Amino acid sequence: MTDLRSLVSTSPENAVTTPILSLQGVNKSFGNTQVLRDISLDIKRGEVIVVIGPSGSGKSTLCRTMNRLESIDSGKIVFNDRDLPVEGKALAAMRSNIGMVFQSFNLFPHMTVLENIMLCPVRVRRENKQQAEQHARALLDRVGLAEKADAYPAQLSGGQQQRVAIARGLAMRPEVMLFDEPTSALDPEMVREVLDVMRSLADEGMTMVVVTHEMGFAKATADRVIFLDGGQILEDAPPIEFFAAPKSIRAKDFLSRVLEH
């Protein structure tokens, strides 16, 4: 199986010192409801950040602001030492370096798996089709779906579709991958196959921000766990510290509920 390091941009050697993505005093409201409150967060190269918290705590909104799929009301988002543009071609150019995988797979149903993965590299990066196809096939091999290149999304299981969505995100050779609850729409038996691909990405140096309810993944894979509640970061700690001795009452209550099941 193809090694991910040859397929995407990873820089684990810089993980200790270099923030690749930074949120500084970010606030966001929907109408009269404030969903993010003064969020400040630095993400270093090669880090795996897992964001957890109760439903409605602002986790998905936080993830979506990181590439401006959601606008912010105030604060600043910095990517590679440059302010993330608000809109236009400059935003599109920088956003192409931040891959995203959603809860829903968002594959084009009328395109084959291979065509779905090739689309953005050809249209956005202007790669030639031969190069894009070679890269797409290597990525499909990487996520264990080389034999599904000519299949259509409707012919795949949910877990397979989500692995294709991951391959599609990687096709742009991003420097950061965002995952917004990537397993929450899957049947339990399909969750592991997606998490295994994500663990391999982490092992091979991909910078990742993962919103998830999968506590086992957080414990085993995260460098830091962010606990969000009421739109605020209440805890930011290595998983061994967070799960063994959460500091906030709210986090203790949350863990007592989710770890019982």
Side-chain angles (χ1 to χ4, degrees):
M1 188 174 286
T2 308
D3 190 326
L4 178 69
R5 289 184 181 90
S6 65
L7 303 177
V8 298
S9 299
T10 58
S11 303
E13 69 276 7
N14 296 324
V16 175
T17 58
T18 309
I20 189 170
L21 187 61
S22 179
L23 282 71
Q24 302 170 14
V26 169
N27 290 278
K28 171 68 178 178
S29 295
F30 293 112
N32 294 324
T33 303
Q34 189 168 1
V35 292
L36 296 178
R37 300 174 183 272
D38 197 29
I39 297 288
S40 292
L41 176 65
D42 285 342
I43 299 161
K44 300 185 180 81
R45 292 180 185 274
E47 272 196 312
V48 178
I49 306 295
V50 173
V51 182
I52 65 174
S55 296
S57 59
K59 303 185 300 297
S60 289
T61 301
L62 174 62
C63 188
R64 291 169 66 87
T65 62
M66 291 180 181
N67 63 357
R68 288 203 189 276
L69 285 179
E70 290 287 357
S71 62
I72 60 175
D73 300 329
S74 61
K76 187 161 68 168
I77 301 172
V78 179
F79 176 66
N80 270 338
D81 295 323
R82 295 174 57 195
D83 287 4
L84 198 62
V86 175
E87 59 186 2
K89 291 183 178 179
L91 174 60
M94 293 184 73
R95 187 185 277 162
S96 68
N97 291 311
I98 305 175
M100 189 155 189
V101 177
F102 302 88
Q103 177 179 343
S104 55
F105 320 123
N106 294 336
L107 301 175
F108 291 108
H110 63 288
M111 292 183 174
T112 66
V113 163
L114 188 67
E115 290 168 342
N116 266 279
I117 297 171
M118 290 174 56
L119 182 64
C120 284
V122 170
R123 290 197 177 179
V124 178
R125 295 275 197 210
R126 302 299 182 186
E127 290 184 17
N128 68 63
K129 289 187 177 181
Q130 184 177 3
Q131 179 186 6
E133 180 177 344
Q134 182 179 14
H135 189 217
R137 289 187 183 278
L139 285 169
L140 278 174
D141 179 60
R142 184 62 188 81
V143 300
L145 293 171
E147 76 284 0
K148 299 294 185 180
D150 297 322
Y152 287 88
Q155 297 172 305
L156 305 181
S157 70
Q160 290 172 331
Q161 289 188 62
Q162 193 62 294
R163 283 187 281 157
V164 172
I166 292 172
R168 179 185 57 187
L170 294 172
M172 294 290 283
R173 297 179 173 84
E175 295 182 67
V176 178
M177 283 289 288
L178 309 177
F179 294 85
D180 185 9
E181 300 196 19
T183 61
S184 61
L186 300 178
D187 292 334
E189 65 269 22
M190 298 176 186
V191 169
R192 181 175 177 178
E193 64 191 58
V194 174
L195 293 181
D196 283 347
V197 171
M198 293 169 62
R199 288 188 186 101
S200 69
L201 294 178
D203 290 343
E204 294 167 10
M206 174 59 71
T207 307
M208 298 165 59
V209 179
V210 183
V211 174
T212 186
H213 294 289
E214 300 292 336
M215 296 300 109
F217 177 85
K219 287 181 179 180
T221 309
D223 293 302
R224 289 156 56 200
V225 174
I226 304 297
F227 178 72
L228 204 67
D229 188 48
Q232 295 178 293
I233 295 176
L234 298 189
E235 307 222 11
D236 178 349
I240 192 169
E241 292 181 17
F242 175 76
F243 286 102
K247 295 180 174 62
S248 65
I249 294 174
R250 191 68 189 90
K252 290 176 183 177
D253 179 63
F254 174 80
L255 288 178
S256 70
R257 294 171 186 272
V258 299
L259 296 180
E260 282 178 359
H261 302 289

